[in-house]
Amino acid sequence: SALFNFHSFLTVVLLVICTCTYLKMQFPAILEQKTGFRGFFWKAARIGERLSPWVSVGCFMMGMSIIFF
């Protein structure tokens, strides 16, 4: 159902990026494969590493919108 609601879709995308980045920092061997199904999660972790200020702002804004709206 997150595909049909844009707000839910953004929440899921931000959670995947943050989770993959955390897992890559804690357990780097899990996300070494850059192709296939796990390659998607490697790319999400890379986005979280390189765009961390923007991802953190997005998480903050998403949290505020969930709390207040």
Side-chain angles (χ1 to χ4, degrees):
S1 66
L3 292 175
F4 300 114
N5 187 354
F6 187 68
H7 189 266
S8 299
F9 178 71
L10 285 179
T11 303
V12 169
V13 168
L14 282 172
L15 286 174
V16 166
I17 289 172
C18 293
T19 303
C20 289
T21 304
Y22 177 77
L23 286 175
K24 183 159 169 97
M25 294 298 160
Q26 295 298 319
F27 310 104
I30 292 176
L31 295 175
E32 284 182 352
Q33 190 175 5
K34 299 178 183 176
T35 59
F37 182 69
R38 287 198 305 181
F40 171 77
F41 297 113
W42 178 83
K43 290 175 187 175
R46 181 62 69 185
I47 290 170
E49 290 171 352
R50 295 203 176 179
L51 299 175
S52 60
W54 292 103
V55 172
S56 64
V57 168
C59 288
F60 180 77
M61 296 298 288
M62 188 61 63
M64 289 297 121
S65 71
I66 289 173
I67 290 172
F68 295 116
F69 299 110

